[in-house]
Each structure stands twice: as C-alpha cells, then as structure tokens.
Amino acid sequence: MAITEKILFIVNPVSGTGKREKVLKLIKEKLSPKYEAKIVQTKFAGEATEIAIRYHQKGYNKVVAVGGDGTVNEVAKGVIGTSMSMGIIPTGSGNGLARHLRIPMNVAKAIEVINGGNVISIDHGTINDTLFSAPPV
C-alpha cells in the first residue's frame, strides 16, 4: 500500500508517566502503512500549538495529540482554522474529551481508530481567551 497521507504525532513526554516508550513503540508498530508518520515530543507548555502550526505549513494534514486534556487543548489551538484533522491518543489522567468522543483509553485501540480515518466535526469556542471544545451529543 502506497503512503498517501502525512500524519504528525505531538507527544507530551510527561503525560502518562511511564507510558512514553510503550506509546512510541505502539505508534511505530500499529500505525497503518498508508501514513507517513512524524513524531515530535514537546519540551515546554504551549509548544504543541506551535508544532501543529509549523507542520501544517509543511504539508501535514493530520495531527494526533498524544497526552492528556492539556495537550489536546494545545494541539487544537494549532488546528483551528486550518484544513488539518486531529486525532487523540489519550495518555493523561482525565482524558475528558477523548472519553466523551468514545476514543479508547487503550493506546493500541486508539491507534486503530486513527487507522480507520473516520473524522467528525466538533464545535469550539473561547471564554476569556481560553479554548473549549463542545463534542456532539
């Protein structure tokens, strides 16, 4: 199968303490060969937004937030207003949006969801300059 899409994984290395190496290994093992994957780990708070914007400019049309709700929020800030679609591999302690969207908490199963390529639209807004997402009910 030919590579058809570039996909970026933005990984918060401190989310899910002790899971990082396992998560990286599973991405490499389980991700469909239809994707050309790039994995970038954040180094500081807020960087995920910058990374998403930078890689969108490099032609990436899919991005996956690997972390908790904070990482998801940062990546979403970089995706809003672009043609990028966003996935989630939940590795945080709460994973509120991922749970609401019924994304599996199991990393391998979450990667299967990404491989399926199903995309839905969700609403977003800001309150006092803070982004929030409103999943479909």
Side-chain angles (χ1 to χ4, degrees), residues 91-110:
T91 63
S93 57
N95 305 306
L97 182 61
R99 288 179 192 279
H100 193 83
L101 294 172
R102 295 190 172 97
I103 295 171
M105 296 297 110
N106 175 283
V107 172
K109 290 181 180 178

Side-chain angles (χ1 to χ4, degrees), residues 26 36 39 45-46 51 55-56 60 62-63 74-75 126:
L26 285 170
E36 176 185 330
I39 299 171
I51 294 169
Y55 277 85
H56 177 256
Y60 284 76
K62 294 188 181 295
V63 60
E74 285 186 24
V75 173
T126 56

Side-chain angles (χ1 to χ4, degrees), residues 36-54:
E36 176 185 330
K38 174 75 174 174
I39 299 171
V40 179
Q41 296 186 52
T42 60
K43 295 176 184 70
F44 54 87
E47 186 183 24
T49 303
E50 298 170 17
I51 294 169
I53 293 168
R54 185 169 56 242

Side-chain angles (χ1 to χ4, degrees), residues 17-72:
T17 305
K19 293 183 185 179
R20 184 176 58 92
E21 291 305 319
K22 178 184 175 190
V23 170
L24 297 176
K25 182 179 181 219
L26 285 170
I27 291 169
K28 291 173 185 170
E29 288 177 358
K30 304 287 185 184
L31 187 66
S32 170
K34 72 180 178 180
Y35 293 116
E36 176 185 330
K38 174 75 174 174
I39 299 171
V40 179
Q41 296 186 52
T42 60
K43 295 176 184 70
F44 54 87
E47 186 183 24
T49 303
E50 298 170 17
I51 294 169
I53 293 168
R54 185 169 56 242
Y55 277 85
H56 177 256
Q57 294 168 344
K58 292 181 179 186
Y60 284 76
N61 59 0
K62 294 188 181 295
V63 60
V64 178
V66 183
D69 292 323
T71 305
V72 169

